[in-house]
């Protein structure tokens, strides 16, 4: 009388145990998937990842770019906010910091008294107190000035990103990690010697961090798509420097 119910209970216990084991295995498998809950970019081939992140960067309305760039034997520390209409922020090189503001085609430079005081040209144009007269004021950079093209590059989102988001050599996927709290996957050129780009695995596949090839600087790219004010300075904050600015 009791053998049949006992056998049935045993089979039911074994069945429930098997189901639980299978469920646990399935959960473990999900936990081991590095791309679970991501935008799926990590599953793509390296070339496709690069295409996706470059497209995302070009399509973004705005970005903040901060870090160092080594170019022409000089090291520049940048902290720039950029969008299609221009950009604003600061550049430090050779121990000197100056601000840049570009609104459409109008480019302005703002620096402290020390920056201008070290310029013989400034002294000739504005007298001994040139540094004080120009301190903290916006100086409009003439479009024909030799400095215009070089300085405006720091405020041009498309030009700057196209030049920076370049990896050299054979592309490969690297390690997964985080950048600014966002999960990322690394994209490398020649195992890192050609540069390393960390690409977001969350939301849009934006580039988040770049180590340039040959030790030419490291940059963080944040605030993608976050708009910011970009206005011409008032006449009270602007000083006419002259025909040509000093070399920075």
């Amino acid at each position: 009388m009791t053998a049949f119910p006992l056998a049935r209970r045993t089979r039911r216990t074994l069945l429930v145990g098997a189901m639980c084991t299978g469920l646990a295995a399935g959960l473990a498998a999900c936990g081991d998937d590095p791309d679970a809950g991501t935008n799926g970019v990590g599953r793509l081939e390296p070339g496709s990842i690069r295409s996706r992140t470059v497209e995302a960067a070009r399509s973004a309305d705005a970005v903040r770019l901060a870090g160092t760039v080594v170019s022409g034997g000089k090291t520049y520390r940048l902290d720039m906010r950029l969008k299609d209409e221009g950009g604003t922020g600061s550049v430090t090189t050779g121990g000197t910091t100056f601000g840049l503001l570009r609104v459409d085609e109008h480019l302005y430079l703002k620096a402290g008294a020390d920056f201008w005081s070290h310029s013989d040209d400034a002294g000739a144009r504005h007298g001994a107190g040139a540094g004080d007269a120009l301190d903290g004021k916006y100086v409009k950079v003439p479009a024909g000035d030799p400095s215009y093209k070089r300085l405006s590059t720091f405020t041009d989102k498309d030009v700057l990103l196209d030049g920076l988001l370049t990896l050299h050599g054979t592309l490969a996927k690297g390690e997964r990690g985080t950048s600014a709290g966002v999960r990322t996957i690394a994209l490398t050129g020649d195992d890192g010697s050609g540069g390393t780009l960390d690409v977001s695995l969350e939301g849009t596949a934006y580039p988040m961090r770049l180590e340039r090839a040959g030790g030419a600087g490291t940059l963080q790219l944040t605030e993608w798509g976050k708009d910011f004010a970009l206005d011409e300075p008032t006449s009270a904050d602007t000083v006419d420097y002259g025909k040509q600015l000093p070399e920075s």
Side-chain angles (χ1 to χ4, degrees), residues 93 96-98 109-119 122 131 151 241 245-248:
T93 183
T96 301
T97 299
F98 54 90
L109 184 150
K110 178 194 283 189
D114 289 346
F115 176 90
W116 299 111
S117 295
H118 284 91
S119 167
L151 293 175
Y241 181 84
L245 270 66
E247 289 292 322
S248 57

Side-chain angles (χ1 to χ4, degrees), residues 25-196:
L27 291 174
C30 291
D32 291 337
D33 182 1
D35 294 307
T38 73
N39 55 20
V41 167
R43 297 187 178 97
L44 302 178
E45 293 300 315
S48 297
I49 295 177
R50 185 183 185 284
S51 297
R52 181 78 65 87
T53 194
V54 168
E55 180 183 356
R58 289 175 176 170
S59 300
D61 293 330
V63 63
R64 183 171 186 172
L65 188 152
T68 58
V69 173
V70 180
S71 177
K74 290 186 177 181
T75 298
Y76 300 91
R77 180 170 293 279
L78 313 179
D79 189 356
M80 299 295 301
R81 299 187 70 183
L82 310 169
K83 58 183 179 179
D84 292 338
E85 300 90 332
T88 183
S90 65
V91 179
T92 300
T93 183
T96 301
T97 299
F98 54 90
L100 289 175
L101 168 66
R102 184 176 64 82
V103 183
D104 295 322
E105 300 303 316
H106 296 165
L107 177 66
Y108 300 88
L109 184 150
K110 178 194 283 189
D114 289 346
F115 176 90
W116 299 111
S117 295
H118 284 91
S119 167
D120 293 336
D121 191 37
R125 292 177 188 274
H126 297 278
D132 294 333
L134 300 172
D135 182 22
K137 296 290 186 179
Y138 284 103
V139 173
K140 188 173 183 179
V141 183
D145 190 279
S147 299
Y148 183 91
K149 184 176 181 180
R150 175 169 48 85
L151 293 175
S152 64
T153 296
F154 293 124
T155 66
D156 192 313
K157 179 174 73 73
D158 291 338
V159 171
L160 201 55
L161 289 178
D162 283 348
L164 294 175
L165 298 181
T166 300
L167 299 176
H168 302 278
T170 303
L171 295 179
K173 289 191 286 189
E175 296 182 355
R176 287 168 169 78
T178 60
S179 179
V182 176
R183 295 169 64 185
T184 59
I185 183 169
L187 188 64
T188 66
D190 280 350
D191 295 325
S193 63
T196 299

Side-chain angles (χ1 to χ4, degrees), residues 225-244:
K226 185 177 181 180
D227 197 17
F228 58 93
L230 195 62
D231 302 313
E232 298 266 3
T234 65
S235 57
D237 290 330
T238 308
V239 173
D240 181 18
Y241 181 84
K243 293 182 179 179
Q244 185 171 324

Side-chain angles (χ1 to χ4, degrees), residues 191-220:
D191 295 325
S193 63
T196 299
L197 185 64
D198 292 338
V199 178
S200 175
L201 288 172
E202 301 177 16
T204 305
Y206 290 124
M208 300 296 295
R209 183 177 183 273
L210 171 68
E211 290 184 19
R212 301 183 72 207
T218 301
L219 292 161
Q220 293 284 153

